[in-house]
Every structure is written in C-alpha cells, then in structure tokens.
Amino acid sequence: MSTASVPPAGDSGAARRKLRNHALTERLALSHEQRVALTGRIEAHLDVLVAHLAPAVLAFCWPYRGEPDLRAWMTRWLERRDGRARTAALPVVVEKSAPMVFRQWTPSMELSFDRHGIPHPPEGDAIVPDVVLVPCNAFDAAGYRLGYGGGYFDRTLAVIDPVAVGVGFESGRIETAHPQPHDRPMDWIVTEAGAFRAAAGLR
C-alpha cells in the first residue's frame, strides 16, 4: 500500500493528485526486468478471470507511462481456439471531455497516434466491449481508481456499462482514492498479487 502522505481531510483534490503522482513515481521507478516479471504474474491472473467472464469483445489500453503491457497477452487471447468468436478493442478519444469509443484492434493493424502519442485504430465502427481492462495508477479495495484526471473512463463506462477490470501494480494500492460522486468503481482489480472482486463493484 502506498505510503504517500495525504493532505488533510476535505482537500480531496489535492489528496488525489498527491496519491496519483506518488503511484506514478513508484511505477516509473521499476526496472524493465521488474515490470516484465510483475506483468507476467498479472497475465496469469487475467487468464483465470477472463476465462470466467468469457467476453466476446474485450477492450484494453495501450501501455502508457510504465503501465502493464498487455499487448502480447491480448494477442494470445485472440489466438486461442475454443470455438468462440473473439474481438479485441482499443479506446479512442474522439472529442475532448466526451465519452470514448472503442474500435476493433488486431495485432498487425496500422495505428494512428493521439495528442499524447498513444496509438489507436484510425477508423472503424464503434463497438461495445463486454469487459474493459482499465489501467490504474492507484486504486483502493472498493474498486475506485485514479487515472490521469481527465475523467474519460468514468464518462465512458457510465454510457456503455461493461464489466470493468482495473489492472495495475500492487505499488498503486492505497487506502482510499477519495472517490467523487461521478466516479465509477471497478468490478474487479487485478494485480500481480491476484484478482480481487471490488467491494463497491457493480457486479
């Protein structure tokens, strides 16, 4: 659990910024070898959870700022032959301060880059994922997460209402994310330590 000091109660915005920055610092301090090893353990837990959830359409995020890199795992998920149709998707920001859309992703496709340099499918119909793997900078046991402060996932999940699985490293675990009224909790949290049903999750 993060040991970052938290501003006094009542200043939740400052507390969230401090916790977010501390979690980012901790994550970026991991060596490449540490990150690969921890991500491998996350993948093993995702294997079990995603098999249980059995989505036809599974969305994930391109790794950003030291987040767990799930691209190889998603490729393996797509290649599994179990008689079920499988579709992977990536989020696309189409308008500032609006919900994102999801477009189909395949490992060999050409991608465009948004203003942050994050790749995404340049075109294609919007699809609705059954399960979304949501990156977490920091998170608490209730399932509330701290992203980058833009609110994109909260707006998006409120519209499409999939099963939301927060994915992050245990170094990002905190006592509370100081959730705001509009925050949507994750249904599950997956770290290198395991897959945990979130206390405030919707399902």
Side-chain angles (χ1 to χ4, degrees):
M1 184 174 293
S2 172
T3 58
S5 59
V6 177
D11 191 2
S12 62
R16 286 160 66 92
R17 285 191 297 274
K18 194 173 189 71
L19 290 167
R20 178 186 297 114
N21 291 339
H22 179 77
L24 277 168
T25 299
E26 291 282 301
R27 190 172 73 213
L28 291 170
L30 292 171
S31 69
H32 173 73
E33 291 76 17
Q34 288 173 314
R35 190 173 291 111
V36 168
L38 294 175
T39 298
R41 290 162 61 184
I42 288 171
E43 291 173 342
H45 299 307
L46 282 175
D47 281 338
V48 177
L49 178 60
V50 172
H52 166 70
L53 297 174
V57 181
L58 176 61
F60 76 113
C61 291
W62 203 265
Y64 181 64
R65 299 191 69 183
E67 293 167 350
D69 185 349
L70 300 180
R71 290 174 293 178
W73 181 86
M74 286 296 298
T75 298
R76 293 194 298 272
W77 180 80
L78 284 172
E79 291 173 345
R80 283 180 192 145
R81 305 293 182 219
D82 59 1
R84 287 198 222 160
R86 293 172 182 248
T87 300
L90 282 172
V92 183
V93 176
V94 293
E95 183 181 346
K96 187 175 180 180
S97 300
M100 298 181 290
V101 300
F102 291 89
R103 294 177 184 156
Q104 184 175 6
W105 171 81
T106 61
S108 60
M109 75 187 307
E110 277 195 40
L111 300 173
S112 296
F113 297 87
D114 67 15
R115 64 191 182 92
H116 298 293
I118 301 173
H120 61 84
E123 55 189 19
D125 294 334
I127 57 177
V128 178
D130 305 302
V131 175
V132 180
L133 305 180
V134 183
C136 300
N137 291 324
F139 58 90
D140 60 26
Y144 290 103
R145 62 181 277 278
L146 295 175
Y148 294 97
Y152 282 101
F153 266 108
D154 291 314
R155 285 188 289 270
T156 304
L157 297 177
V159 172
I160 63 174
D161 195 31
V163 174
V165 178
V167 179
F169 297 122
E170 275 293 317
S171 60
R173 187 180 291 274
I174 55 178
E175 184 175 347
T176 177
H178 302 277
Q180 307 300 292
H182 61 271
D183 287 346
R184 201 277 206 186
M186 302 292 98
D187 301 297
W188 294 83
I189 294 289
V190 177
T191 74
E192 69 269 20
F196 310 93
R197 190 183 290 276
L202 303 180
R203 57 182 69 77

